[in-house]
Amino acid sequence: MILKNVITTGVLTLSLFSAFAFVQKDGKEEVKQNPATADNGFAVLELFTSEGCSSCPPADELMGKIEKEYKNKNVYILSYHVDYWNRLGWKDRFSSAENSQHQQLYSHLLNSQVYTPQLVVNGKTEFVGSDENAVNKALQTALSGSQNTNISLSAKVAQNEIQVQYDGTTTTSQNMLLVTLVEKQSSTDVGKGENEGHHLQHWQIVHQQNSIAFNTQQEGITIFQVPQSFSKENWEVIAFIQNSKTGEISGSAKFNFNSVQ
């Protein structure tokens, strides 16, 4: 079923990122950005999902389909596994309170209820995440009607952490930078709850997310802990710049660790 429940709201903080390539230096892998074209349209798809929700697997599968079909387009997918389903019989190992809070903040900005599967596109529109027609329409609107803001990034991957350095400009001090560490694909055999006995596939799973106040001119470093399951082939970084007052996203990009030479 689709779970809907009104939640308390707060102030939304969010993000941007860009593409780069690794070089070896002092035993560490250093990532240098290859700036994206600033005038390309883009679409950021944020799915709120749960392994405990029987309506969510079709939305998860749709995200996998879109990821494959739009792999050469400026389409950025983030799947946030929420934790409020955990009390109903099955604990989603990818879920977190932070993901649920992120969705609650959208309910304030978009004047929407909190439910799964919910999809938010470019921080401006929301609808049921398994509605393929609505997703395709929103994608075409976003890709043709948006303009991607750019930012310079570099990163070093040490033994236990990933250091991302950013440098860029924005048009308003209300913007936030949200940088996200994403697992491209995983699966789970569900033992309880609404999906008991099912083998679920997941795509673009949010693991860690760092938000940074992004003033008119901003540079700095943000750090991720390297996950135990980390591999270059199955992880990437996605980030986007978002206005904390309106929720509108003004740009996004990603780095694929598999591009390391």
Side-chain angles (χ1 to χ4, degrees), residues 1-3 52-56 85 88 116-117 194:
M1 66 177 180
I2 296 176
L3 178 64
C53 162
S54 62
S55 295
C56 287
W85 275 94
L88 301 179
T116 55
E194 290 191 358

Side-chain angles (χ1 to χ4, degrees), residues 216-255:
T216 304
Q217 178 69 44
Q218 187 86 18
E219 61 179 320
I221 295 174
T222 189
I223 296 174
F224 296 111
Q225 295 302 306
V226 177
Q228 291 184 351
S229 60
F230 179 82
S231 67
K232 296 174 183 177
E233 295 76 16
N234 199 39
W235 291 77
E236 65 185 16
V237 177
I238 294 177
F240 55 90
I241 288 177
Q242 183 169 36
N243 187 302
S244 62
K245 300 299 183 183
T246 68
E248 184 172 355
I249 296 172
S250 58
S252 186
K254 67 181 175 181
F255 166 70

Side-chain angles (χ1 to χ4, degrees), residues 90-103:
W90 176 254
K91 184 175 181 180
D92 187 336
R93 64 193 176 101
F94 300 114
S95 67
S96 70
E98 290 78 11
N99 288 347
S100 298
Q101 183 183 28
H102 187 60
Q103 186 184 27

